[in-house]
Amino acid sequence: MVNPRPVANNSWSFDKIFGDADFIAAGQLVIPPNSRKPSKATKDNTYIFYVVEGAVNLKVHDTSLVLASGGMFMVPRGNTYFIENISQRDAKLFFTQARKTLNDEDERQIALANQQKKKAHRSSSAGAVYASFTFIDNGRTM
């Protein structure tokens, strides 16, 4: 029931199979022969890929690998990676993406303040903006 859809330049396609907005996502990535998934920074996410069919050349940060069906690799958050199909058929990869979660109450307060700033910025084109911000100093809310 997977239906991968092409990205803007049609050089690869993917379908998200599962997604939890706050924590994890999973899906299938399909890269045609002689194509690649362009370099991408992982930012706050960690990815794990499993090669279901085909063979790929991949680079994570400074490490290059060639993997065939059954191979797995992880891209820790904060790294840049690309994946290139080196087989003569579609390379199909299953992926899962774990997002960084906020463990600390201070981080949650900072994230909430940032969300409020974004909402205030989006509504600024409609007129005057009134926003409240929460500042945290040594664990005390001001």
Side-chain angles (χ1 to χ4, degrees), residues 1-43:
M1 302 305 289
V2 178
N3 184 23
R5 291 178 212 91
V7 296
N9 63 5
N10 287 324
S11 63
W12 58 282
S13 55
F14 81 101
D15 189 12
K16 184 164 78 169
I17 299 168
F18 169 80
D20 176 354
D22 295 331
F23 185 64
I24 195 167
Q28 186 179 46
L29 174 70
V30 179
I31 305 171
N34 302 315
S35 295
R36 69 166 43 182
K37 182 182 185 306
S39 295
K40 180 180 178 188
T42 58
K43 299 180 187 174

Side-chain angles (χ1 to χ4, degrees), residues 25-135:
Q28 186 179 46
L29 174 70
V30 179
I31 305 171
N34 302 315
S35 295
R36 69 166 43 182
K37 182 182 185 306
S39 295
K40 180 180 178 188
T42 58
K43 299 180 187 174
D44 288 335
N45 302 325
T46 294
Y47 293 88
I48 296 176
F49 291 91
Y50 174 79
V51 182
V52 178
E53 289 181 14
V56 295
N57 175 36
L58 64 107
K59 186 170 183 176
V60 177
H61 187 61
D62 290 332
T63 303
S64 293
L65 298 169
V66 172
L67 295 176
S69 299
M72 290 180 69
F73 63 98
M74 181 174 88
V75 184
R77 75 172 190 243
N79 286 281
T80 300
Y81 73 97
F82 82 84
I83 305 168
E84 175 182 38
N85 184 353
I86 58 172
S87 63
Q88 295 184 4
R89 62 177 176 169
D90 285 350
K92 294 181 181 178
L93 293 93
F94 173 81
F95 71 89
T96 185
Q97 166 189 356
R99 296 184 178 107
K100 181 181 178 187
T101 60
L102 301 176
N103 295 328
D104 186 69
E105 185 59 34
D106 290 343
E107 287 181 342
R108 286 188 185 99
Q109 290 293 331
I110 291 167
L112 180 60
N114 287 338
Q115 287 175 352
Q116 289 173 345
K117 285 191 328 192
K118 285 180 184 176
K119 285 180 184 176
H121 180 70
R122 282 193 292 254
S123 64
S124 64
S125 62
V129 176
Y130 300 95
S132 64
F133 299 96
T134 303
F135 296 95

